[in-house]
Amino acid sequence: MEGMQEVQFSPEAEKLAIKLAAFAIMEQLCDDGKITEDELKYIAKKREIDILVRKSA
């Protein structure tokens, strides 16, 4: 892509992005009924991810 600059992210930002993307997949699994809300909360707590508001499906 001509004219676009390369963007550099810190290793910490990349790790956080991966962690949040994986958690988004877990949220979708919860919405699909594959895991429970309690399991999702456990994962969030274990991975130190704050769930401020969760909209139920």
Side-chain angles (χ1 to χ4, degrees):
M1 295 186 166
E2 202 171 309
M4 295 193 66
Q5 294 181 0
E6 184 175 335
V7 178
Q8 295 288 327
F9 295 99
S10 69
E12 295 83 13
E14 288 183 7
K15 286 180 184 178
L16 180 59
I18 292 167
K19 183 193 311 190
L20 293 176
F23 189 72
I25 294 169
M26 295 297 130
E27 286 182 307
Q28 186 60 51
L29 289 173
C30 184
D31 291 342
D32 293 345
K34 305 285 185 186
I35 64 173
T36 67
E37 189 80 24
D38 287 340
E39 289 170 321
L40 183 65
K41 288 177 184 175
Y42 173 80
I43 293 166
K45 183 177 180 181
K46 183 94 171 153
R47 299 292 172 210
E48 298 177 355
I49 299 171
D50 292 327
I51 304 176
L52 300 176
V53 176
R54 174 138 163 82
K55 192 166 74 172
S56 297

